[in-house]
Amino acid sequence: QVQLVESGGGLVQAGGSLRLACADSGRIFSRNAVAWFRQAPGRKREFVSGISSPGDDTDYADSVKGRFTISRDNAKRTVFLQMTSLKLEDTAVYYCAAGPILSRTNTYAYWGQGTQVTVSS
């Protein structure tokens, strides 16, 4: 059974940093693109960032470009999202997802349960 587990969320002040991790217990990461999405209260889930299976292609939403960095360690079956210069509007539950194609849409086959990120003023 494939299981994606996010970690690293928490409470941080505006301007601070957090690093999220998504670990794969199903050994699927090496064959799949991985993306991060987020959902704030009352809002639709939105794409944040994604990385291709070999890690040579990345994509970022305009709202996080230049502040967030996605990376992966296929040997450790983990994908990271380094978040810096955090803003209040980055507050959301962050989800990782895996699928065969790097995409900004909600079409990934596998999803984690999410980790809360709260940015305070």
Side-chain angles (χ1 to χ4, degrees):
Q1 181 178 355
V2 175
Q3 186 174 9
L4 306 183
V5 180
E6 302 96 335
S7 62
L11 175 64
V12 63
Q13 285 191 322
S17 299
L18 281 175
R19 188 174 81 154
L20 305 184
C22 177
D24 157 36
S25 65
R27 301 179 182 270
I28 65 164
F29 267 8
S30 63
R31 304 188 301 275
N32 283 275
V34 178
W36 288 94
F37 289 77
R38 67 186 180 187
Q39 187 167 19
R43 302 191 65 176
K44 293 182 179 180
R45 188 172 298 186
E46 64 175 0
F47 172 82
V48 175
S49 180
I51 187 166
S52 62
S53 171
D56 58 352
D57 187 20
T58 58
D59 191 18
Y60 297 93
D62 288 343
S63 58
V64 306
K65 198 171 293 183
R67 300 188 298 121
F68 290 11
T69 303
I70 192 169
S71 61
R72 66 189 300 158
D73 185 336
N74 283 341
K76 295 182 178 180
R77 304 198 303 273
T78 303
V79 171
F80 302 97
L81 184 68
Q82 179 68 49
M83 307 187 295
T84 62
S85 302
L86 283 161
K87 304 176 180 180
L88 297 179
E89 52 264 40
D90 293 320
T91 295
V93 177
Y94 284 70
Y95 300 89
C96 70
I101 299 173
L102 176 57
S103 168
R104 293 189 172 200
T105 61
N106 272 350
T107 55
Y108 290 81
Y110 307 102
W111 290 83
Q113 292 301 306
T115 186
Q116 176 70 46
V117 171
T118 302
V119 183
S120 65
S121 59

